[in-house]
Amino acid sequence: MGEKYAVIGKSVPKIDGRAKVTGQAKYTGDLKLPNLLVGKILTSPHAHARIISIDTTEAEKLPGVKAVITHKDVPTLKYGISPARWDESIFCSDKVRFVGDKVAAVAALDDETVYKALKLIKVDYEVLPAVFDPEEAIKEGAPQIHDEYARNINTEIHQNFGDVDKAFAEAHHLRTDRFVGNRTYQCPIEPHSAISIWEGGKLTVYSSTQSPHYFQHYIAREFGLKMGDVRVIKTYVGGGFGGKLEPTGLEFAGAVLSKITGRPVKMFYDRHEMFAHNRGRHKQIMEITTSVDKNGKITGVYANFMMDGGAYTSLGIATAYYAGAMLPLTYEFVNFKFDMIRAYTNLPACGAQRGHGAPQPRYAFECHLDNVAADLGMDPIELRLINARQPNTVTPNDFAVNSCELTECITKAKEISGWVQKKGNLPSGKGIGIGVGSFVSGAGYPIYRTNLPHASAIIKVHEDGTAATLYTGATDIGQGSDTVLCQMAAEAMGFRYENMKIVAADTETTPHDFGAYASRQTLMSGSAVKQAGEEVKGQMLELASEMMEVEVSDLDCRDSIVFSLSDPEKAMPFGEVAREFFVRKGPLVGKGSYAPPKLGGTFKGAAVGTSPAYSFAAQISEVEIDEETGEIDVKDVWDVHDCGMVINPGLLHAQVHGALYMGMGESIWEQVLFDDKGKILNPNLGEYRMPTAMDMPRITSELVESYEPAGPWGVKEVGEGATIPTMGCYANAIYDAMGIRVNSLPLSYEKVWRALKEKKEKEKA
Amino acid sequence: MYLPDFEYHMPATIQEACALLAEKGQVAKVLAGGTDLLNKMKHGLVAPAVLISLKQLEQLSNIEYEEGKGVLIGARATHNAICNSKLLQEKYLSICEAAHHMANNQIRNVGTIGGNISNAVPSADLPPILMALDASITLVGTKGERVMALEEFFVGPGKTLLAPDEIIAQIVIPDQSCTGSTYIKFGLRRSGALAVVGVAVAVTMDGNVCKDARIVLGAVAPVPMRAPKAEAMIIGKAISDDLLEEVGVCASTECKPIDDIRGSAEYRRDMVRVFTKRALRKAINEGHV
Ligand SMILES: Cc1cc2nc3c(=O)[nH]c(=O)nc-3n(C[C@H](O)[C@H](O)[C@H](O)COP(=O)(O)OP(=O)(O)OC[C@H]3O[C@@H](n4cnc5c(N)ncnc54)[C@H](O)[C@@H]3O)c2cc1C
């Protein structure tokens, strides 16, 4: 019993590992129910068009078709995940706004009939001029996408902290750079799907979701149902990365089809439709100006950004705010100005993708900072160390930072990567670069306004004490929250992890939780679970004190054994006490809930980016560039994280690897491409190139000692934070290798080749 | 995405298959591994009313050596069968390597050499190395059999000299006098990427002097193409880095690439320079065919 903790801090096996690797785990698309119908949505072939008429008669006549619905058959109430802009409809009634916009839906006996029926629906369109570029979209006279939003401005932000003008006027050095990001898509391996069952007054939806709660909330709102009459059940989910946070349309259409037919309806998106539904990364156009003093201390930053939001809002307002809000978190500066326009375009709607609005601005800022370092003749790491955020500080935009080991992360990354020996000494074509980042451990405020606690949990001990079940609304989408929450429950109870069971993410059987986004669950759901576990333990020890005739204060419980602290020989199995508890007092249950303290300032948008705690990370990479082809070979990555206390090191490092994988894809390969009519050119995994195992570098994932007072046992996040530094880190390594700067993502082979060519031509001239 | 309706046939002999093709006419298509055809059908790009599967034509899967003819690869041989063929590994490792770098394992398990050729996609990986090794193909139709140099088979993207009632039965690789051959595919990631540029070469070396060379470029013209000027430039010369660079430059002026989502014409042209040079060097240095 030498170790401080019995269960946490250990790489216990994933609770669902066996089910997943054996194929036993059932995803929504795998479920079969009696009388199940198959449904599918008909989408628009045009980027912008007026709907003149929709004729469904032929489709209805097709044998096997059970229902065909259009805007006439569904509620007209607009929806969206952001309450500030509800701009989506279940089906378009007047106009379609992108290739893939929802027009009608069919339910039929089987897949084949559904696809045939879709082809029989005749829609007459009057094609309208469309706009695909945010800079064009906001010009006078550009095609108007939503009548309510003049010049296609979806969100406009102007924030100003301190006195940037003064800082710039007094600058030792001032520099402006412009960078352009790219549209990427989450590409979860499991396609979105939903099974809707509308029976009597009750709607049940099995869904591939990151948040049963938000689904329940918005589905109930759309149909005017009571929350209690809508049950959302998450099945196993094959990844979300932000793309499954909001209802997809499958749930709405499926619900109506189920209501009409009186049968359960399964709906899904195929890979192509997933790309069209999107909600992936926004493309940002980022102009950054920074002033520094003679020591390299940042005195002011002006971020002037624009983003392509696509045809609808999705979570984009928050994305737009995040883009600026996270900048002054990583480095310390007090003068900060942020302007942002999120423009509507006739492209698929963008939303929250791992790291939300932060990764592209971080890429821009990390590159920009290396440029500043070069201007000053400083080592990029020196410049970062001078400016790195410190613990117990407050950002200009009012985020209170408790624990922060960024300096230690950078120092350690420098050490383990061999930076000092390598920097400036690598052979031609090889380079080393650094990028750092930081992220929230849970959003300080929920997506819609409510005073519900953010997380809650119930633990019920089995009658004979041999097992305990954790009931939580927390949502495991592959990242492993079911596992770490069970570890936390077991630790708090003094129970064995192996005997934990979990029922999660079912709005009817599990208590409320906002779900998997903003890297919130380890800290927030974990807090609720810890409280519930401690409540169980308290009740146990009280009874054990009677049974064992030992003072409660002298009792503890660990590894399912209750024992006397002063005389550990005096012990009793957890099960025996728990069983007796049930006999004497009924169910042994513990409850917990978590709400963050009031966070943040009062300015417009102050809520976005608030969090009880922030994670920090430094990444260094070594790349080799093929000077003739521009091919980028990432050789090594060293990632050092400050994520507080670690509950499960195996899962934590897996998150780092996965996040790095995504960051790497966005850095070098991934980009959704469109033709001049707004049609996606690469809606498949062949031409939308995510890295393969063969493209991955050697990864060294390390941690620094850290304890976060706001988190249970000192935890923070890792899921998203690890994606953030990567793009800047690679861009800087390429810069180091070749002396060239590619100012747009992805840093494709061809762009590197072109930049090298231009450099050579310049040198010749 | 859903397959449209079609009539399905699984003839027992190649003659029967050809007769069916003749009978059904333009609406019929041959089905081999289906990795290309079924995909296109699902996406609504083609909608053949009749599919004639080669599944039962076992003999079309053989890979064997016939004295006087050379190595015969049945059109239904899958990419993995080619990778794993002992015969090919011994005689033409470069073909195995080309097949190994295609697609991914699942596709290689079902995709066939005949399909890869018939498809006539400019970026297809097998035609360049087969052309570099002077392969010919045997076409079987209702009127009998004909043999054609693979080089002459391609007409344009998706277009070949295959008659409507014909099937590719086998690919013939004649005995070689070359000392080295290779195919380098340049794709935009390490696996599962189509070629931006593919270069196949076969060289006959005598000491440091190149006696003969064939250079074939993929993905940079409507069809896989020979680079005759580049070939002429290297034949009879002693190999040097400068010469290889010049040959690369020459090949890059011969190709006719277009812009597409994988790369610009300008990039492709320069990659032809780079990979012609690299392929020649590899074929010369590694010295296997
Ligand atoms: C994910 C993916 C990755 C791929 N990657 C690559 C790659 O890296 N490199 C590459 O070159 N290709 C690639 N392909 C394309 C394709 O898999 C190959 O071209 C494959 O060899 C096609 O063979 P098949 O047997 O599947 O052809 P099928 O799809 O069965 O047929 C293709 C065409 O050829 C015709 N045909 C087939 N066999 C014959 C025959 N014997 N006689 C006459 N006509 C015939 C068919 O009628 C059809 O028109 C990829 C495909 C996919 C889906």
Side-chain angles (χ1 to χ4, degrees):
Chain A
M1 275 186 206
E3 288 175 69
K4 191 163 173 203
Y5 300 117
V7 192
I8 61 172
K10 297 190 167 57
S11 300
V12 302
K14 251 185 137 175
I15 203 159
D16 53 5
R18 182 183 294 264
K20 282 183 173 167
V21 299
T22 55
Q24 203 181 32
K26 294 284 175 271
Y27 297 77
T28 301
D30 297 325
L31 298 182
K32 294 196 171 56
L33 298 171
N35 278 326
L36 187 66
L37 296 177
V38 183
K40 201 112 195 77
I41 294 176
L42 178 75
T43 61
S44 152
H46 304 294
H48 199 192
R50 201 168 299 290
I51 298 174
I52 308 292
S53 66
I54 306 175
D55 181 358
T56 59
T57 39
E58 289 303 311
E60 280 158 31
K61 277 190 226 155
L62 187 72
V65 169
K66 297 295 169 193
V68 183
I69 54 172
T70 68
H71 64 92
K72 295 193 184 114
D73 308 291
V74 300
T76 53
L77 188 67
K78 294 214 170 167
Y79 71 88
I81 184 88
S82 289
R85 302 269 187 293
W86 282 318
D87 57 8
E88 291 191 66
S89 306
I90 300 181
F91 297 121
C92 302
S93 56
D94 54 343
K95 286 208 301 186
V96 291
R97 294 177 173 84
F98 72 99
V99 178
D101 218 349
K102 304 184 290 291
V103 176
V106 173
L109 291 177
D110 52 37
D111 281 2
E112 189 177 346
T113 311
V114 165
Y115 279 97
K116 281 188 177 155
L118 288 182
K119 288 205 178 116
L120 295 175
I121 300 175
K122 290 191 198 72
V123 188
D124 241 349
Y125 294 102
E126 176 200 339
V127 177
L128 302 170
V131 61
F132 306 116
D133 177 343
E135 288 175 306
E136 293 300 316
I138 62 164
K139 287 186 182 154
E140 285 303 338
Q144 178 84 21
I145 300 171
H146 292 267
D147 292 342
E148 304 87 328
Y149 302 101
R151 286 176 52 221
N152 297 313
I153 294 177
N154 167 269
T155 305
E156 193 167 353
I157 304 170
H158 304 287
Q159 293 180 335
N160 205 341
F161 307 99
D163 191 343
V164 172
D165 295 338
K166 182 159 171 279
F168 284 4
E170 293 170 359
H172 166 72
H173 180 66
L174 190 69
R175 184 185 170 103
T176 302
D177 285 304
R178 183 184 147 103
F179 300 89
V180 179
N182 53 336
R183 269 181 172 258
T184 61
Y185 177 55
Q186 292 98 345
C187 286
I189 195 151
E190 181 217 9
H192 306 62
S193 58
I195 296 176
S196 305
I197 310 161
W198 198 318
E199 254 170 0
K202 187 173 167 191
L203 175 59
T204 301
V205 182
Y206 290 87
S207 176
S208 164
T209 173
Q210 290 180 233
S211 172
H213 175 81
Y214 288 125
F215 274 48
Q216 181 193 27
H217 174 77
Y218 278 112
I219 291 169
R221 175 184 168 272
E222 192 66 19
F223 295 113
L225 293 169
K226 293 197 280 282
M227 288 272 281
D229 287 336
V230 176
R231 178 181 186 185
V232 177
I233 306 166
K234 179 197 77 97
T235 57
Y236 283 98
V237 172
F241 312 105
K244 292 178 180 169
L245 185 58
E246 58 197 291
T248 54
L250 297 175
E251 302 77 17
F252 297 131
V256 175
L257 288 168
S258 175
K259 190 175 186 188
I260 292 174
T261 59
R263 295 168 68 159
V265 178
K266 183 196 287 187
M267 314 265 308
F268 68 97
Y269 283 142
D270 61 29
R271 188 60 61 180
H272 187 143
E273 292 161 340
M274 290 167 74
F275 273 90
H277 171 68
N278 192 35
R279 322 290 147 152
R281 183 88 68 218
H282 290 71
K283 168 184 169 172
Q284 299 190 43
I285 300 162
M286 301 161 288
E287 192 188 272
I288 300 187
T289 307
T290 296
S291 58
V292 290
D293 69 13
K294 61 180 189 315
N295 302 318
K297 181 98 194 76
I298 298 170
T299 55
V301 172
Y302 173 40
N304 186 13
F305 292 178
M306 178 176 290
M307 55 177 28
D308 164 14
Y312 296 103
T313 299
S314 178
L315 208 60
I317 301 174
T319 321
Y321 278 101
Y322 262 114
M326 292 288 104
L327 285 175
L329 174 66
T330 317
Y331 300 112
E332 291 188 356
F333 47 86
V334 291
N335 304 306
F336 175 51
K337 191 171 154 192
F338 173 49
D339 289 328
M340 163 69 94
I341 289 177
R342 181 183 191 270
Y344 281 119
T345 60
N346 291 111
L347 293 177
C350 302
Q353 180 169 332
R354 203 170 195 167
H356 210 164
Q360 283 181 16
R362 179 52 51 200
Y363 148 75
F365 200 81
E366 292 300 306
C367 292
H368 173 67
L369 213 56
D370 262 36
N371 290 348
V372 171
D375 292 348
L376 298 177
M378 267 181 98
D379 182 275
I381 286 192
E382 267 322 292
L383 185 62
R384 283 172 173 82
L385 285 172
I386 287 172
N387 292 291
R389 170 128 332 260
Q390 298 301 315
N392 304 313
T393 50
V394 178
T395 69
N397 46 350
D398 293 338
F399 303 157
V401 175
N402 310 319
S403 64
C404 171
E405 301 299 335
L406 181 56
T407 298
E408 184 55 28
C409 289
I410 298 172
T411 310
K412 189 163 178 183
K414 180 180 174 183
E415 218 173 270
I416 61 174
S417 64
W419 177 274
V420 176
Q421 300 88 297
K422 286 174 182 164
K423 180 72 184 169
N425 301 323
L426 291 171
S428 164
K430 281 194 167 193
I432 189 164
I434 183 166
V436 309
S438 49
F439 204 62
V440 300
S441 304
Y445 295 85
I447 293 174
Y448 69 95
R449 201 170 289 226
T450 172
N451 61 359
L452 287 175
H454 287 218
S456 56
I458 297 169
I459 297 171
K460 188 197 83 175
V461 180
H462 199 260
E463 293 77 47
D464 68 355
T466 55
T469 306
L470 168 63
Y471 297 82
T472 169
T475 307
D476 195 329
I477 55 174
Q479 83 283 40
S481 63
D482 281 358
T483 302
V484 295
L485 293 175
C486 280
Q487 280 182 272
M488 289 162 116
E491 184 71 45
M493 291 162 67
F495 199 61
R496 288 175 61 90
Y497 168 75
E498 293 72 17
N499 298 341
M500 285 301 304
K501 318 280 170 202
I502 183 162
V503 175
D506 171 346
T507 58
E508 198 155 296
T509 57
T510 67
H512 161 78
D513 190 290
F514 285 121
Y517 66 99
S519 298
R520 54 181 295 287
Q521 295 189 145
T522 306
L523 190 149
M524 296 188 171
S525 312
S527 294
V529 166
K530 180 168 187 267
Q531 197 188 347
E534 284 167 354
E535 200 175 293
V536 169
K537 185 168 166 180
Q539 297 174 77
M540 280 279 300
L541 295 188
E542 210 172 290
L543 179 63
S545 158
E546 266 176 55
M547 291 167 71
M548 294 164 70
E549 293 176 3
V550 179
E551 283 294 313
V552 174
S553 58
D554 186 34
L555 281 177
D556 200 359
C557 180
R558 188 177 161 120
D559 264 334
S560 291
I561 293 169
V562 182
F563 61 94
S564 153
L565 288 166
S566 56
D567 179 9
E569 295 293 289
K570 269 196 198 158
M572 196 174 261
F574 185 106
E576 202 178 315
V577 183
R579 190 181 181 288
E580 188 61 23
F581 189 100
F582 191 79
V583 171
R584 292 198 203 173
K585 306 185 183 187
L588 173 52
V589 173
K591 299 189 312 255
S593 79
Y594 173 82
K598 169 137 185 34
L599 296 166
T602 51
F603 58 92
K604 186 160 188 241
V608 181
T610 57
S611 178
Y614 296 92
S615 72
F616 295 86
Q619 245 172 38
I620 292 179
S621 64
E622 196 177 323
V623 302
E624 190 172 341
I625 309 295
D626 184 321
E627 296 182 36
E628 284 190 307
T629 64
E631 188 172 350
I632 301 160
D633 186 3
V634 183
K635 292 286 184 194
D636 262 296
V637 175
W638 298 269
D639 179 291
V640 182
H641 249 82
D642 160 16
C643 33
M645 161 77 189
V646 176
I647 302 298
N648 187 316
L651 285 178
L652 179 123
H653 293 301
Q655 283 293 306
V656 171
H657 283 230
L660 181 82
Y661 168 87
M662 276 185 101
M664 182 156 158
E666 291 188 56
S667 301
I668 303 176
W669 293 281
E670 296 179 35
Q671 184 169 27
V672 183
L673 299 165
F674 299 89
D675 69 9
D676 60 0
K677 302 225 159 28
K679 202 172 141 232
I680 308 176
L681 289 168
N682 56 344
N684 55 64
L685 302 180
E687 293 297 341
Y688 181 87
R689 278 179 298 276
M690 304 165 82
T692 68
M694 289 171 71
D695 298 293
M696 290 302 284
R698 188 164 44 209
I699 301 168
T700 309
S701 172
E702 295 261 352
L703 298 165
V704 293
E705 277 292 317
S706 164
Y707 182 88
E708 170 53 51
W713 293 286
V715 306
K716 298 199 277 191
E717 76 89 44
V718 70
E720 292 179 273
T723 294
I724 292 175
T726 310
M727 295 186 254
C729 174
Y730 288 177
N732 287 338
I734 295 170
Y735 179 60
D736 185 57
M738 312 296 328
I740 53 151
R741 207 20 106 202
V742 176
N743 282 348
S744 69
L745 294 168
L747 311 161
S748 68
Y749 303 168
E750 183 168 345
K751 283 188 200 162
V752 172
W753 166 82
R754 194 172 296 283
L756 282 166
K757 195 173 123 196
E758 284 163 6
K759 186 184 167 216
K760 264 188 219 140
E761 280 161 9
K762 238 192 225 156
E763 281 167 1
K764 259 194 213 151
Chain B
M1 285 196 298
Y2 206 81
L3 277 178
D5 289 342
F6 53 85
E7 199 180 295
Y8 183 71
H9 297 271
M10 207 164 46
T13 65
I14 194 159
Q15 286 71 24
E16 208 183 304
C18 295
L20 266 168
L21 274 172
E23 181 198 326
K24 303 287 178 183
Q26 294 293 345
V27 299
K29 276 236 174 247
V30 167
L31 176 71
T35 60
D36 202 81
L37 185 56
L38 297 181
N39 214 9
K40 280 192 198 143
M41 287 168 69
K42 276 192 174 179
H43 282 96
L45 301 173
V46 291
V50 181
L51 289 187
I52 298 165
S53 169
L54 305 183
K55 213 174 201 162
Q56 288 210 73
L57 310 183
E58 281 300 335
Q59 74 282 10
L60 290 195
S61 304
N62 293 347
I63 302 174
E64 60 204 355
Y65 183 74
E66 198 179 309
E67 209 62 55
K69 269 189 161 174
V71 170
L72 312 177
I73 305 176
R76 267 198 53 208
T78 63
H79 306 314
N80 269 345
I82 290 171
C83 296
N84 299 329
S85 154
K86 285 272 173 308
L87 176 66
L88 284 173
Q89 283 170 5
E90 268 164 37
K91 290 190 85 78
Y92 301 120
L93 188 59
S94 54
I95 299 180
C96 303
E97 285 176 352
H100 181 67
H101 286 108
M102 287 173 74
N104 51 50
N105 203 35
Q106 291 93 324
I107 298 287
R108 289 196 297 272
N109 267 332
V110 282
T112 65
I113 185 169
N116 195 244
I117 294 171
S118 314
N119 245 341
V121 174
S123 64
D125 283 315
L126 294 179
I129 185 64
L130 297 172
M131 278 166 60
L133 295 171
D134 203 14
S136 54
I137 50 177
T138 309
L139 306 176
V140 177
T142 47
K143 294 188 204 72
E145 207 178 281
R146 56 177 178 147
V147 177
M148 183 188 293
L150 180 57
E151 199 177 322
E152 283 156 26
F153 182 62
F154 301 108
V155 178
K159 292 205 182 72
T160 66
L161 292 180
L162 192 78
D165 68 334
E166 276 181 324
I167 288 169
I168 301 181
Q170 64 181 199
I171 295 87
V172 183
I173 313 193
D175 290 343
Q176 302 290 317
S177 56
C178 69
T179 53
S181 72
T182 195
Y183 171 69
I184 302 186
K185 166 190 191 159
F186 179 59
L188 298 179
R189 67 178 164 192
R190 297 252 170 86
S191 167
L194 295 178
V196 170
V197 164
V199 180
V201 299
V203 290
T204 310
M205 297 297 294
D206 181 3
N208 192 37
V209 176
C210 178
K211 291 284 173 199
D212 196 10
R214 294 168 72 93
I215 300 174
V216 186
L217 312 175
V220 287
V223 297
M225 59 170 279
R226 291 275 295 273
K229 287 187 198 147
E231 290 173 0
M233 187 177 265
I234 193 172
I235 293 172
K237 303 239 179 76
I239 301 301
S240 67
D241 284 352
D242 285 347
L243 177 68
L244 294 183
E245 174 69 25
E246 278 168 42
V247 174
V249 170
C250 181
S252 78
T253 58
E254 287 185 86
C255 65
K256 308 177 196 71
I258 54 162
D259 295 326
D260 74 7
I261 57 168
R262 291 190 283 280
S264 68
E266 194 192 350
Y267 184 52
R268 286 198 152 99
R269 203 177 274 288
D270 197 41
M271 291 309 101
V272 167
R273 173 185 66 83
V274 173
F275 288 100
T276 300
K277 190 170 66 177
R278 291 185 186 181
L280 285 168
R281 192 174 291 136
K282 183 161 179 262
I284 293 166
N285 291 345
E286 288 184 6
H288 70 72
V289 185

